Every structure is written in C-alpha cells, then in structure tokens.
C-alpha cells in the first residue's frame, strides 16, 4: 500500500513541489501577465486538503516538500499548514520542508517559518537595482524584500537567492549579485528563462541569456570548480575557488536535467504535473474530495500519475521559435 513511488524510468519520486495559491503580490514579467485572472476560491484546495494531499505523498516516500505559488505567503492562514506539516519533520518521515518566495512577506513570517521547522528557503531576486526591480516585478518594492531576507537570516533560516538570467536586463549585475551573496553568506543560483505562458509584449527569445554564456563570463574572474553536490533539485553547482561560495545553474534549455528528475508538481487546484515542460497532468482533487474518509483512491490516482511520468521535457529555443512553449503560466504550476 505504501510502496515507494517509482516512475517508468526507474526514478524514485521523493520530492514534491506544491503550489498553495496562484495569487502573488508581484507581477514578474517572465511569470505573469500584468492583469491576471485568478481562480475562484472554491477551485483551490483548502488548507486541510493540502495537508491531506501532502501527507499522503509523505506516506508514499516523499522526503522533501517545497511550497510554492504564486507567492505562498499571501495565502490566508498559510502558517497553519506549515505548522501541520512540521509533524512529519518531527516523525522523521519528511527530511525537509521548504519554500520558494519572493521575500515580500518574510519580515512578517520568518520567525513562524523557523518555528515550523523550515531551515532553508529560496528567495527569487533578479536585480539589486531598485528601479529595475520595480520594472521586472511591476508591483514589487526592493527594500521590502531586503528587509525580509534580513528577517529570515536573523531567524536562522539559510537563504538561497534564485536569479533568472535575462539578456539585456541583469547581465551587468552578474558580479554584483555574486559579490552581494558572498558578503551575506548566501548561495546563488541562476535560472534560464523558460517558455511558459502568455506574457503579453515580452519576447522569450529576446529575454533568453544562455547560462553557458553566463558561466563563461563568470570564469573570466573566478576559478570554477564543479561540485558533485545535489540538493534534490535540478541545479548543478560550482564553487568559486577565490571566495569559496557556491553558485548553481538551472539549465532546462542548454542542458536538461531530466535523467535525474525525482520530482512532481501539484497545482493549487490539485492537478499533478509529472513534468514542468509537458502539458500532461492528472486530477487529484476529485479522488481527494470524492472520498474524504478514504485515502486509497487518492493513492491509486497518485500511482497512476507517476506511471505516466515522461522521460523528459520539450523546451527548445534552438530553432528561433518557441517549440515546447507551455500555455500555462509559471505561477499556475508553481515555480
């Protein structure tokens, strides 16, 4: 009944990413359109349903749980969910409870997150320039995010910065970002922009900055030592010999990471996406809601979904058109 989740390519699924809301207090240009239409509340899983869903996955061998959005910390009463999940940390069944956030609400919630057992978080931050930050997020305020990062570090939470590499936008901030993270003892990961969702006037090809090129630029100043270390996600890491700091690269386009994929994603409506770069999904909300007192149908639906997990994704910019473009927004799937 509780046998581990193994996909058709013999990959054990031990990492679950769960979106708890499609809403966000920013409108980052590579993630959302400015005038988003959000889902009606009744379509979203309740916090109790999210708890039951995640607990079922933990019972099936998931050891790492990452909470995403939208912005997860704008979900009303979200701390009750984190507090509930902490019981799986206490039992030892769950090895890590973490989240990806834009940092806007961290000043408010960092102490409670730490108390719930969150030891490490990812903060999405693409620029240290206040005007550029306002431009890229449309609605965001950089000082609010920096205050949140301060609060997280004060609470004892390890912070990793995720920066989307955007040609013509933050190319000139490569070294300032690296230096800033070193000064604050934070790891840094760069992410290639992914072709997902209709974002209006933004052109993915114009935005695309290959991390192969970024890495080559980084190597002009630092000696890069490849690390075998993996953190359960898709990033590959190097150590900068001169400073000792760690820099990661998430490269779905120049070098995909499908062969070691150990993760699936659940949307805030209970859809499970077996691959970020494919449209295939399955509905877990129906078995969850149709059988409130019996988890067996939910477990069966989860196993059926994992049995359909594809070998890899189909992101491709090489032909100067958006092959593999996903019609859904990144905020729909959750980070």
């Amino acid at each position: 009944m509780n046998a581990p989740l193994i996909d058709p390519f013999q990959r054990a699924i031990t990492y679950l990413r769960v979106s708890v809301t499609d809403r966000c207090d920013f409108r980052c240009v590579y993630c959302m359109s400015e005038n988003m239409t959000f889902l009606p509340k009744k379509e979203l899983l309740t916090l109790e349903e999210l708890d039951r869903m995640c607990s079922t996955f933990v019972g099936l061998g998931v050891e790492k749980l990452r909470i995403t959005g939208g912005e997860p910390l704008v979900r009303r009463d979200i701390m009750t969910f984190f507090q509930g999940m902490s019981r799986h940390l206490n039992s030892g069944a769950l090895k890590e409870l973490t989240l990806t956030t834009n940092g806007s609400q961290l000043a408010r919630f960092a102490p409670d997150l730490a108390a719930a057992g969150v030891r490490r978080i990812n903060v999405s931050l693409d620029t240290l320039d206040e005007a550029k930050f306002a431009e890229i997020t449309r609605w965001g305020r950089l000082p609010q995010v920096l205050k949140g990062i301060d609060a997280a570090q004060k609470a004892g939470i390890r912070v990793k910065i995720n920066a989307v590499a955007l040609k013509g936008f933050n190319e000139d901030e490569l070294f300032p970002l690296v230096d800033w993270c070193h000064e604050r003892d934070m790891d840094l990961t760069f992410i290639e922009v992914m072709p997902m969702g209709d974002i209006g006037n933004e052109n993915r090809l114009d935005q695309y900055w290959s991390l192969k090129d970024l890495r080559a630029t980084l190597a002009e100043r630092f000696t890069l030592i490849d690390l075998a270390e993996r953190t359960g996600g898709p990033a590959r890491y190097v150590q900068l010999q001169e400073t000792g700091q760690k820099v990661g690269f998430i490269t779905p386009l120049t070098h995909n990471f499908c062969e070691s994929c150990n993760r699936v994603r659940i949307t805030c409506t209970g859809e499970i996406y077996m691959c970020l770069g494919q449209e295939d999904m399955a509905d877990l909300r129906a078995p969850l809601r149709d059988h409130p007192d019996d988890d067996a149908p939910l477990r069966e639906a989860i196993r059926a979904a994992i049995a359909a997990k594809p070998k890899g994704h189909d992101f491709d910019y090489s032909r100067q058109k958006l092959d593999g473009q996903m019609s859904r927004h990144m905020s729909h799937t959750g980070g």
Side-chain angles (χ1 to χ4, degrees), residues 13-195:
I13 307 304
T14 58
Y15 179 7
L16 178 66
R17 300 175 66 105
V18 181
S19 173
V20 296
T21 181
D22 63 332
R23 296 174 184 269
C24 186
D25 48 352
F26 293 176
R27 294 290 183 275
C28 294
V29 299
Y30 50 77
C31 182
M32 290 186 177
S33 60
E34 186 166 7
N35 299 304
M36 289 288 291
T37 300
F38 293 111
L39 296 164
K41 186 177 179 181
K42 68 179 185 299
E43 292 190 22
L44 271 63
L45 298 182
T46 66
L47 293 176
E48 292 77 15
E49 289 171 335
L50 284 165
D51 186 304
R52 187 176 158 213
M53 178 82 74
C54 293
S55 296
T56 301
F57 270 93
V58 171
L60 294 172
V62 162
E63 297 180 339
K64 178 176 178 178
L65 179 61
R66 179 176 295 280
I67 307 307
T68 67
E71 168 49 47
L73 297 181
V74 301
R75 174 80 188 252
R76 186 175 181 181
D77 296 326
I78 191 60
M79 280 305 122
T80 62
F81 171 77
F82 278 99
Q83 290 156 4
M85 285 298 98
S86 67
R87 70 187 186 275
H88 299 304
L89 290 171
N90 295 335
S91 74
L94 190 64
K95 301 293 190 292
E96 183 174 26
L97 174 63
T98 184
L99 78 152
T100 295
T101 173
N102 64 26
S104 67
Q105 306 301 313
L106 276 177
R108 175 182 174 195
F109 289 120
D112 292 337
L113 287 167
V118 174
R119 299 289 174 258
R120 191 167 65 95
I121 63 173
N122 291 354
V123 176
S124 301
L125 181 63
D126 306 319
T127 176
L128 296 172
D129 182 288
E130 194 166 342
K132 286 164 66 175
F133 184 86
E135 174 190 344
I136 197 78
T137 63
R138 293 194 181 102
W139 294 6
R141 295 179 297 280
L142 181 60
Q144 182 179 354
V145 172
L146 298 180
K147 183 179 178 183
I149 292 171
D150 288 341
Q153 291 192 306
K154 184 177 180 181
I157 298 173
R158 179 83 183 167
V159 176
K160 177 166 76 78
I161 299 298
N162 284 347
V164 176
L166 296 163
K167 184 191 295 184
F169 180 77
N170 58 6
E171 285 174 289
D172 61 340
E173 290 191 77
L174 172 58
F175 294 120
L177 275 167
V178 168
D179 293 342
W180 179 70
C181 287
H182 174 56
E183 290 165 6
R184 302 201 51 152
D185 190 27
M186 299 185 296
D187 294 330
L188 171 63
T189 291
F190 290 101
I191 306 172
E192 283 177 333
V193 66
M194 294 184 228

